[in-house]
Amino acid sequence: MMNTHALTYPALQRRLISTRRSRALFLPRTTQHVPSRGVLVELARATVALLSLATWCASLLLIAG
């Protein structure tokens, strides 16, 4: 005979899911805050990304042509 307090796998999953749901609603967020960078740093990063994309597109056009 199985013990009435023994946990089965589906019962354990239900318990974990309900714990996660209640924790998400009532506890403060646990994610870490990433400090914001300066506007100039973000603009420089965006510029570098756009220039890299333009260079990559130009090299594809040169290879294809």
Side-chain angles (χ1 to χ4, degrees), residues 8 12 17 19 29 40 46 50 54 58 61 65:
T8 61
L12 182 61
I17 289 171
T19 304
R29 297 199 183 273
L40 291 177
L50 288 174
L61 286 174

Side-chain angles (χ1 to χ4, degrees), residues 25-57:
L25 288 174
F26 298 114
L27 288 181
R29 297 199 183 273
T30 58
T31 55
Q32 295 178 353
H33 178 69
V34 178
S36 60
R37 294 186 173 127
V39 175
L40 291 177
V41 173
E42 293 299 325
L43 283 175
R45 290 182 69 213
T47 304
V48 169
L50 288 174
L51 286 175
S52 300
L53 180 64
T55 304
W56 184 74
C57 289

